[in-house]
Amino acid sequence: MESIDEIKRDYELTRLDEDNLKELSDILLPSIDGFAADFYTYLMKDQYTASFFETEAARRRREETIKKWFEDLLTARYDNRYLVRLRKIGKVHVKIGLKGHYVNASINHIRNFCYRQVIELVSDADKRRELLETLNKVLDINLDVMTSSYRDAELKKVFVSHRVESVIIRWSERLLHGLNLVLMIGLLTMALGVASLLAQDVVYAFTTSLETGVIKALGSLLILWMMIELLHTQVEHLRGGRFHVRIFVELALVAFIRKLFVASIEEKDPITLGLLIGGLFVLGLLLYFLAKAENTRQTI
């Protein structure tokens, strides 16, 4: 199952598209009531889709849900939470027995409605083309995620063990989330410990040896900085971001630098210093190649 980062990458959703969505919201949201009415009229034209709205309460619920989805389409942050909401919508469609064909046809109708509004209200041809490209991307992303529920439903028919697998996967995801929270608490505790070590080094610098204390404090400061980076990476990971291996190489590099600082004041033998410098060189090269690989992926 694709992550939100993979989906955004595959559909080439960029920062420019996020800016375009703000402009599209200014153009389309003022007519959201007309959009909901138009969509309801479209559904009632077909006997099959009309059968889902036999009561006035069902019609009102449909209008409210389509308005909420339309508003999220244009204003929501495309993150893991939004991905979960889209999957829930797809599961509801499967649960009520709505055929996937009608989901695709509905998105096509919505696309045409939005096209008419943008063409009517945006006079600049280049800007209009740019906005419509962004609109196509987000509509295709929504359609992709929602219809994935139909693929899951087909798998349930094929694999007898799918229900058991789903339970295992669901509980595994909960366990992993819990372990990530435990890791977060552990990182916070270690960060506090490093901050305490930094304070001790500062006190040592002012009470015992200024030169030794300053060098040790500088090393502790580097470690604290890396702990902050680790915490930041873990927070992004919990929010659905990509896991970065580079942060651990940076942490090892900082640890070697601190070790080199300490070794310089403890008068270590030349072989030890040489090994530390060699280790720094190897880690530096590894960090360089990792950074280069990440930049290459981002430009693809």
Side-chain angles (χ1 to χ4, degrees):
M1 188 175 293
E2 295 82 4
S3 67
I4 189 64
D5 286 336
E6 291 172 328
I7 292 172
K8 290 165 66 174
R9 181 197 64 204
D10 293 340
Y11 282 94
E12 298 180 342
L13 194 70
T14 63
R15 179 79 63 173
L16 176 62
D17 292 309
E18 294 177 2
D19 295 335
N20 288 339
L21 279 175
K22 296 176 183 177
E23 295 189 43
L24 284 169
S25 65
D26 293 336
I27 296 169
L28 298 173
L29 288 185
S31 59
I32 192 170
D33 291 329
F35 163 76
D38 175 82
F39 188 65
Y40 175 72
T41 301
Y42 166 75
L43 294 177
M44 296 306 293
K45 289 180 180 179
D46 189 282
Q47 185 177 359
Y48 173 77
T49 52
S51 65
F52 291 92
F53 310 101
E54 295 179 348
T55 65
E56 182 64 19
R59 183 190 70 80
R60 287 197 299 269
R61 284 197 303 272
R62 176 70 263 183
E63 285 193 356
E64 289 303 315
T65 55
I66 193 62
K67 285 164 68 174
K68 180 65 172 65
W69 170 81
F70 192 59
E71 184 178 356
D72 284 349
L73 173 78
L74 300 172
T75 62
R77 181 182 176 186
Y78 279 64
D79 56 10
N80 196 53
R81 292 187 182 92
Y82 186 65
L83 183 63
V84 170
R85 292 203 297 273
L86 288 182
R87 285 173 177 161
K88 285 182 178 178
I89 294 173
K91 289 177 181 178
V92 169
H93 288 158
V94 173
K95 185 177 180 180
I96 64 176
L98 180 66
K99 297 177 182 178
H101 160 76
Y102 291 95
V103 177
N104 287 273
S106 296
I107 292 294
N108 180 67
H109 178 81
I110 293 169
R111 193 190 309 271
N112 291 334
F113 175 89
C114 295
Y115 265 50
R116 291 193 296 270
Q117 296 293 315
V118 173
I119 291 172
E120 179 182 348
L121 298 175
V122 181
S123 58
D124 184 84
D126 292 333
K127 189 61 182 178
R128 185 168 59 240
R129 176 185 55 78
E130 187 179 287
L131 292 175
L132 291 178
E133 286 180 358
T134 297
L135 178 67
N136 282 328
K137 289 181 184 180
V138 294
L139 285 174
D140 288 341
I141 288 173
N142 276 251
L143 181 61
D144 186 346
V145 175
M146 286 190 288
T147 54
S148 66
S149 299
Y150 290 90
R151 296 194 296 270
D152 292 341
E154 289 298 321
L155 284 174
K156 290 180 181 179
K157 297 177 182 178
V158 176
F159 298 105
V160 178
S161 62
H162 186 76
R163 185 182 298 273
V164 177
E165 292 173 0
S166 297
V167 171
I168 294 173
I169 292 172
R170 184 169 63 252
W171 281 102
S172 297
E173 289 175 345
R174 291 178 180 176
L175 177 61
L176 286 173
H177 185 72
L179 291 175
N180 274 313
L181 290 177
V182 172
L183 178 58
M184 174 67 71
I185 295 172
L187 287 173
L188 283 170
T189 304
M190 291 181 65
L192 291 174
V194 175
S196 175
L197 178 62
L198 174 62
Q200 291 178 19
D201 290 338
V202 171
V203 171
Y204 182 85
F206 284 102
T207 59
T208 305
S209 172
L210 181 61
E211 180 182 0
T212 302
V214 168
I215 292 177
K216 287 185 175 181
L218 181 59
S220 298
L221 188 63
L222 288 172
I223 296 295
L224 181 59
W225 172 61
M226 283 309 305
M227 291 303 303
I228 294 172
E229 288 296 313
L230 278 172
L231 283 168
H232 177 72
T233 301
Q234 182 64 11
V235 169
E236 289 297 317
H237 181 59
L238 286 172
R239 289 176 175 174
R242 179 178 294 176
F243 182 80
H244 295 279
V245 177
R246 190 178 69 176
I247 190 70
F248 294 99
V249 179
E250 291 175 349
L251 180 60
L253 190 62
V254 168
F256 263 78
I257 292 173
R258 184 179 185 276
K259 190 71 174 176
L260 190 60
F261 284 165
V262 175
S264 65
I265 61 177
E266 291 181 351
E267 298 181 357
K268 294 288 186 180
D269 60 275
I271 295 178
T272 301
L273 290 174
L275 289 174
L276 288 172
I277 295 172
L280 277 173
F281 178 74
V282 172
L283 287 171
L285 282 178
L286 181 59
L287 182 61
Y288 168 77
F289 287 120
L290 283 174
K292 190 174 182 180
E294 287 185 2
N295 291 334
T296 302
R297 283 198 299 268
Q298 290 174 0
T299 56
I300 292 178

